[in-house]
Amino acid sequence: MTIPILPANEAAPALQRDIQHYMRPGLLQLSALPPLSLYVHLPWCLKKCPYCDFNSHAVGGAGALPEARYLDALHADLEAALPLIWGRPVQTVFIGGGTPSLFSPASIDQLLGDIRALLPLAAGAEITLEANPGTFEKDRFRAYRSAGVTRLSVGVQSFNDTYLAALGRVHDGAQARAAVEEAAQAFDTFNLDLMYALPGQGIAALDADLDIALALAPPHLSIYHLTIEPNTFFAKYPPAIPEDDLAYAMLDRITERTAAVGLQRYEVSAYAQPGHGCAHNLNYWQFGDYLGIGAGAHSKISFAHRVVRQTRFRDPVLYMDHALAGHAMARDDEVRRADLAFEFMLNALRLRGGFALQDFVERTGQSVASIVPALDKAEAQGLIARDMAHVRPTERGFDFLSNLQELFLPG
């Protein structure tokens, strides 16, 4: 077998370790393992958006999407990873990208069939699929529902054709509305993604987007501030985006208007009707475990004495080659004990409800005493409220979240 030469941004294959390597004694003592989710990455898009720093790749041409081979690679990847999570029920599945809705409903049906055959899915497990209005066809969403998807996440970003063009999106406002309407008819719950602080956007234009979005009555709304990420087209050719003060005013406006229609801000960038929060994302924010399969996918897996992070090969062709050969993993690193508290806080403090101190102990293997100095500082600065069992960010803590999280950086 010939292993292809790796480009500079790809690591050599990570050492394939026996399960005993992960189970050996170590510094941590985790009394219980957290809930487990599965993330599946489908990396292709119709075209790369200029703001996007995700591992996504434009489809080359007609028939260029290698659905069958990629599904075989995912199956091999998942099968090879089973010893790491053996016997643990999977609470949620999230199929992200890229644009997963480029894959046919038949392919998604096969993928979910493979997952069910290999993993013990919890009863009523939430299964989410990301969808782009630019790939929308009538009845396509219903076909995904029939395949077993229970929740759709529709990447609208804006309903304004001018802003959509500036963002490099492949759909227009009319397609966005049609996709959301179809999602509402096909699914009991779904998510609508919007972006704000767009090039040239002001409060009036934001209100116009919100008018349309809220009229569609989404049970869940995710709101993302447009940021200029390194190694993107916008980083090389940055557009003029609103100043910070205007962006803050926009976020206040979003929070005010969503609250008026019963959408509760349960996470920094997520608003939902009661009972419609995203269980998969909640598991991330609560420092749960997740196995990631697919090109560039990340995993966090806990064992009795350590927490491990893994990464698959990013390039789709290399990923398929390596996964089918039995070694999809490009990196496999044990999280330093000193970093676990900070990693926990990066996630848990994003939640309006904060976290239970007992969850911190169970998921990091560290005592509450180890974070008391940082908690004291945070409380003195008005960033958290706490009692003997819970810690919650205040409104000020939400507004200055980075400052709050930084208090837990290892010394």
Side-chain angles (χ1 to χ4, degrees):
M1 180 183 66
T2 301
I3 300 296
I5 296 174
L6 305 182
N9 65 338
E10 295 281 15
L15 179 66
Q16 295 299 117
R17 293 174 168 140
D18 185 270
I19 185 62
Q20 296 304 318
H21 172 84
Y22 301 100
M23 299 302 294
R24 72 194 191 283
L27 295 176
L28 291 185
Q29 297 289 335
L30 300 186
S31 58
L33 299 182
L36 176 68
S37 293
L38 175 69
Y39 175 78
V40 184
H41 193 71
L42 307 185
W44 289 280
C45 292
L46 289 175
K47 72 171 189 176
K48 183 83 170 178
C49 294
Y51 59 86
C52 178
D53 68 339
F54 294 161
N55 185 36
S56 58
H57 305 263
V59 175
L65 190 64
E67 291 192 47
R69 189 164 195 263
Y70 196 75
L71 290 175
D72 288 344
L74 289 172
H75 187 282
D77 188 359
L78 181 55
E79 200 164 38
L82 288 180
L84 304 182
I85 56 168
W86 196 257
R88 296 176 63 182
V90 172
Q91 306 297 325
T92 66
V93 178
F94 195 102
I95 306 170
T99 303
S101 53
L102 283 175
F103 277 60
S104 68
S107 289
I108 299 301
D109 183 62
Q110 179 184 331
L111 170 62
L112 293 177
D114 287 347
I115 290 170
R116 290 190 187 95
L118 292 172
L119 294 175
L121 284 189
E126 176 190 271
I127 301 176
T128 304
L129 176 81
E130 287 185 337
N132 185 323
T135 62
F136 166 71
E137 299 168 2
K138 186 165 178 59
D139 296 329
R140 190 176 182 90
F141 290 172
R142 287 183 174 85
Y144 289 133
R145 175 67 182 265
S146 296
V149 175
T150 66
R151 182 186 185 103
L152 212 62
S153 182
V154 187
V156 168
Q157 315 315 351
S158 176
F159 294 95
N160 182 302
D161 289 350
T162 299
Y163 298 134
L164 288 169
L167 292 173
R169 303 296 288 175
V170 297
H171 65 272
D172 60 22
Q175 288 174 304
R177 286 190 291 273
V180 175
E181 288 167 354
E182 186 82 3
Q185 293 172 15
F187 288 89
D188 297 328
T189 191
F190 68 94
N191 180 49
L192 191 161
D193 285 358
L194 274 185
M195 298 181 77
Y196 72 99
L198 307 178
Q201 189 180 42
I203 295 291
L206 172 68
D207 269 332
D209 257 353
L210 287 173
D211 286 342
I212 298 171
L214 298 179
L216 292 166
H220 189 288
L221 185 65
S222 294
I223 301 285
Y224 300 107
H225 184 300
L226 174 63
T227 54
I228 308 302
E229 302 290 353
N231 304 314
T232 62
F233 182 85
F234 274 178
K236 189 174 181 180
Y237 303 102
I241 57 176
E243 297 291 335
D244 286 348
D245 287 348
L246 178 54
Y248 283 128
M250 288 181 174
L251 182 57
D252 287 343
R253 184 69 173 150
I254 291 164
T255 302
E256 171 192 331
R257 293 201 56 188
T258 51
V261 297
L263 290 166
Q264 300 171 358
R265 190 184 186 189
Y266 72 100
E267 190 267 344
V268 165
S269 60
Y271 304 75
Q273 297 283 358
H276 289 275
C278 179
H280 185 87
N281 287 343
L282 276 168
N283 191 43
Y284 288 149
W285 297 323
Q286 292 166 347
F287 211 53
D289 279 358
Y290 49 93
L291 172 66
I293 62 172
H298 291 249
S299 302
K300 171 199 168 262
I301 304 176
S302 300
F303 300 91
H305 303 292
R306 59 192 33 82
V307 176
V308 172
R309 290 198 180 276
Q310 300 171 338
T311 309
R312 269 53 177 174
F313 283 91
R314 286 178 58 85
D315 178 84
V317 173
L318 280 177
Y319 166 76
M320 287 186 283
D321 289 344
H322 283 290
L324 290 167
H327 43 79
M329 202 185 304
R331 293 199 56 142
D332 181 16
D333 302 306
E334 188 171 329
V335 181
R336 292 192 318 149
R337 188 174 186 276
D339 293 332
L340 280 168
F342 178 61
E343 289 206 13
F344 181 93
M345 297 303 173
L346 277 178
N347 292 280
L349 290 172
R350 293 177 61 92
L351 291 170
R352 169 72 69 186
F355 63 92
L357 291 170
Q358 183 60 33
D359 286 343
F360 171 80
V361 173
E362 287 187 354
R363 298 182 186 186
T364 67
Q366 300 186 41
S367 69
V368 172
S370 67
I371 55 170
V372 164
L375 292 174
D376 289 343
K377 288 181 183 178
E379 188 172 35
Q381 295 174 25
L383 301 175
I384 62 166
R386 58 174 167 160
D387 55 31
M388 295 299 291
H390 287 84
V391 176
R392 300 175 181 84
T394 60
E395 287 296 329
R396 178 177 172 81
F398 255 26
D399 289 341
F400 297 94
L401 183 60
S402 294
N403 301 76
L404 171 56
Q405 292 163 332
E406 287 170 3
L407 293 175
F408 297 90
L409 278 166

